[in-house]
């Protein structure tokens, strides 16, 4: 293995900024969700793709891929959400080993109630700090970084 090629000042500033924004925005948004809607950030994370899925139904494996979580994390979170009545687990017709996750009426009501305050908080804590010109740069730049990263599956 060769010599480490350390980040220069500019790169280090950008990298530390991305890490800091990720951590702090996640924390602020999580607190806001609990305060405004009684939902955890993890619950909201799973409710969004379920609310957008046809019939509010997704295979657990696909739900995990969509949010970038490992199978065990999805399973534990779905169990907690099922106890709160936000989702229901069902057998998978195509594969007896797989399971489906269905958004319940209570889950749909929760995401519908939480979404407006969540979007307002995203605007307040993230987008309000950026100019239109910065958005034109940061969006495509982040898309290029994401395109170069390996899929969550490896």
């Amino acid at each position: 293995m060769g010599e480490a090629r350390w980040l220069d000042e500019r790169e280090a500033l950008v990298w530390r900024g991305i890490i800091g924004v990720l951590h702090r925005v996640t924390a602020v948004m999580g607190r806001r969700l609990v305060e405004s809607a009684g939902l955890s950030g993890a619950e909201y994370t799973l409710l969004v793709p379920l609310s957008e899925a046809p019939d509010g139904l997704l295979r657990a494996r696909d739900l995990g891929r969509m949010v970038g979580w490992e199978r065990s994390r999805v399973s534990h979170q779905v169990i907690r959400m099922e106890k709160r009545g936000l989702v229901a687990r069902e057998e998978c017709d195509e594969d007896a080993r797989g399971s489906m996750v269905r958004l319940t009426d209570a889950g749909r009501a929760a995401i519908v109630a939480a979404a407006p305050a969540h979007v307002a908080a995203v605007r307040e804590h993230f987008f309000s700090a950026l100019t239109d010109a910065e958005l034109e740069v940061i969006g495509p730049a982040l898309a290029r970084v994401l395109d170069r990263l390996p899929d969550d599956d490896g």
Side-chain angles (χ1 to χ4, degrees):
M1 204 170 204
E3 288 284 320
R5 186 171 161 247
W6 301 109
L7 300 179
D8 63 31
E9 269 186 64
R10 183 184 67 167
E11 292 168 332
L13 178 69
V14 169
W15 183 243
R16 288 185 187 121
I18 287 172
I19 297 300
V21 166
L22 176 65
H23 289 298
R24 289 183 58 191
V25 164
T26 301
V28 167
M29 298 302 294
R31 283 192 304 274
R32 277 283 185 91
L33 277 168
V34 170
E35 292 166 2
S36 68
L39 290 174
S40 71
E43 289 169 333
Y44 192 85
T45 296
L46 294 188
L47 288 174
V48 168
L50 285 168
S51 71
E52 295 170 345
D55 299 321
L57 182 67
L58 289 171
R59 190 172 177 149
R61 174 183 67 195
D62 296 335
L63 180 59
R65 284 184 181 144
M66 293 171 88
V67 300
W69 290 3
E70 293 182 9
R71 185 181 335 185
S72 63
R73 183 175 182 190
V74 172
S75 178
H76 290 297
Q77 186 60 48
V78 166
I79 289 168
R80 287 190 290 272
M81 292 171 71
E82 192 173 32
K83 289 177 183 173
R84 290 193 58 196
L86 300 171
V87 299
R89 285 181 294 173
E90 301 176 3
E91 290 183 15
C92 180
D93 292 337
E94 301 165 8
D95 180 1
R97 295 173 300 167
S99 66
M100 305 296 289
V101 181
R102 182 178 298 279
L103 184 66
T104 63
D105 290 343
R108 186 162 306 279
I111 190 75
V112 166
H118 179 73
V119 171
V122 169
R123 289 187 185 285
E124 176 187 349
H125 296 292
F126 187 80
F127 289 108
S128 68
L130 301 170
T131 66
D132 287 342
E134 289 167 333
L135 289 176
E136 293 296 324
V137 172
I138 201 169
L142 292 174
R144 281 193 310 278
V145 171
L146 284 171
D147 285 346
R148 294 182 59 159
L149 293 172
D151 290 336
D152 290 336
D153 293 340

